[in-house]
C-alpha cells in the first residue's frame, strides 16, 4: 500500500459526460501528480500541483482540469468525454518537487467511456 | 530529458539474477537515472535511482557505466512477484520529479 488513495476505482460513463476523479496523497506529501495510461499511449504525465499551486503541465487536454485543495487532496475533472479518454488514471504524490524524491502512486481509476 | 532505450521484453528464471539494461547515450551531467516498475495495471512503484555511483537498496542494485551512457538494474534473486514492466527514466534536476515514462521492459519471471 503506497498510502495514496484514489477514488473511485472504476468509472463507467457515456460520451459527452463529465467526471471527477479524486486523489488523497500520502500524509505529509505536498506534491500531487496526475498520469494517464492508455493502451496506445503508455503512461503520460498530465499535471502536477505543489501545495495548492500548479507546478508543471504535461499533455493535458483543455477539456481536462485539475486542482489541489487546502487539505492537499486533488481532483481531476474530465469533461466532454470521448471514447479515447478511456484509460487508467493514476495519481502520485511526493513530499516536495526535487528530482531526488521518489513518487508514490495510487492504484488508479479505470475510466471507461461508452 | 534524455531518451532511454530498453529491450521490449525479457524472461528470467525464478531465483536467478535479472539484469535489465538501459541505454541513455544522450544523458547529460545533471540527469538522474530512475527505475520504476508496474505490476499488472497497478500504480508504478519506485525501485531505485542514481546519478553517477552504483546504488543498492533492499529491492535492487543499479550499475551505471563510467561514461553514464548506460545502466543496468539488477534484481538479485528474481521471484514470480517480480514479473512486471520495468521503466528506466532519465530526468534532470530542473524538471523536478516530473517523470516521463517510455515503453519499458516487460519482464516475465518463470518458475
Amino acid at each position: 500500500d503506497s498510502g495514496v488513495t484514489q477514488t473511485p476505482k472504476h468509472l463507467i460513463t457515456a460520451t459527452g459526460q463529465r467526471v471527477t476523479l479524486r486523489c488523497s496523497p500520502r500524509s505529509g506529501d505536498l506534491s500531487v501528480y496526475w498520469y494517464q495510461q492508455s493502451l496506445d499511449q503508455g503512461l503520460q504525465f498530465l499535471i502536477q500541483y505543489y501545495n495548492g499551486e500548479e507546478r508543471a503541465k504535461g499533455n493535458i487536454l483543455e477539456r481536462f482540469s485539475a486542482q489541489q485543495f487546502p487539505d492537499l487532496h486533488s481532483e481531476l475533472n474530465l469533461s466532454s468525454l470521448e471514447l479515447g479518454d478511456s484509460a487508467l488514471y493514476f495519481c502520485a504524490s511526493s513530499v516536495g518537487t526535487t528530482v531526488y524524491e521518489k513518487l508514490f502512486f495510487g492504484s488508479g481509476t479505470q475510466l471507461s467511456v461508452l | 530529458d534524455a531518451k532511454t532505450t530498453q529491450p521490449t521484453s525479457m524472461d528470467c528464471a525464478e531465483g536467478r539474477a535479472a539484469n535489465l539494461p538501459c541505454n541513455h547515450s544522450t544523458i547529460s551531467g545533471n540527469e538522474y537515472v530512475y527505475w520504476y516498475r508496474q505490476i499488472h495495471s497497478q500504480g508504478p512503484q519506485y525501485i531505485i535511482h542514481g546519478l553517477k555511483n552504483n546504488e543498492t537498496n533492499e529491492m535492487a542494485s543499479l550499475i551505471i557505466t563510467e561514461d553514464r551512457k548506460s545502466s543496468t538494474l539488477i534484481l538479485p534473486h528474481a521471484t514470480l512477484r517480480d514479473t512486471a514492466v520495468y521503466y528506466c527514466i532519465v530526468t534532470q534536476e530542473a524538471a523536478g520529479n516530473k517523470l516521463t515514462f517510455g515503453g519499458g521492459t516487460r519482464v516475465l519471471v518463470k518458475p
Side-chain angles (χ1 to χ4, degrees), chain B residues 45-79:
Chain B
Q45 176 189 26
Y46 167 84
I47 301 173
I48 200 166
H49 76 279
L51 180 63
K52 295 180 184 177
N53 301 320
N54 298 337
E55 302 287 345
T56 296
N57 63 20
E58 66 280 1
M59 287 184 69
S61 295
L62 174 60
I63 308 297
I64 302 175
T65 58
E66 196 167 336
D67 64 7
R68 304 211 320 124
K69 292 182 184 300
S70 66
S71 60
T72 301
L73 178 74
I74 301 173
L75 307 177
H77 305 286
T79 71

Side-chain angles (χ1 to χ4, degrees), chain B residues 10-109:
Chain B
M10 62 184 292
D11 293 346
C12 174
E14 186 180 19
R16 303 292 294 270
N19 296 309
L20 281 62
C22 179
N23 182 287
H24 31 79
S25 58
T26 60
I27 194 170
S28 58
N30 63 347
E31 291 186 307
Y32 287 75
V33 179
Y34 272 82
W35 284 84
Y36 280 76
R37 73 180 182 183
Q38 187 175 22
I39 298 172
H40 187 55
S41 297
Q42 295 178 19
Q45 176 189 26
Y46 167 84
I47 301 173
I48 200 166
H49 76 279
L51 180 63
K52 295 180 184 177
N53 301 320
N54 298 337
E55 302 287 345
T56 296
N57 63 20
E58 66 280 1
M59 287 184 69
S61 295
L62 174 60
I63 308 297
I64 302 175
T65 58
E66 196 167 336
D67 64 7
R68 304 211 320 124
K69 292 182 184 300
S70 66
S71 60
T72 301
L73 178 74
I74 301 173
L75 307 177
H77 305 286
T79 71
L80 299 180
R81 288 178 296 179
D82 292 322
T83 292
V85 178
Y86 288 76
Y87 297 97
C88 171
I89 302 163
V90 172
T91 188
Q92 56 178 251
E93 190 168 353
N97 41 9
K98 175 180 71 68
L99 302 174
T100 301
F101 289 81
T105 296
R106 189 171 298 273
V107 174
L108 175 61
V109 180

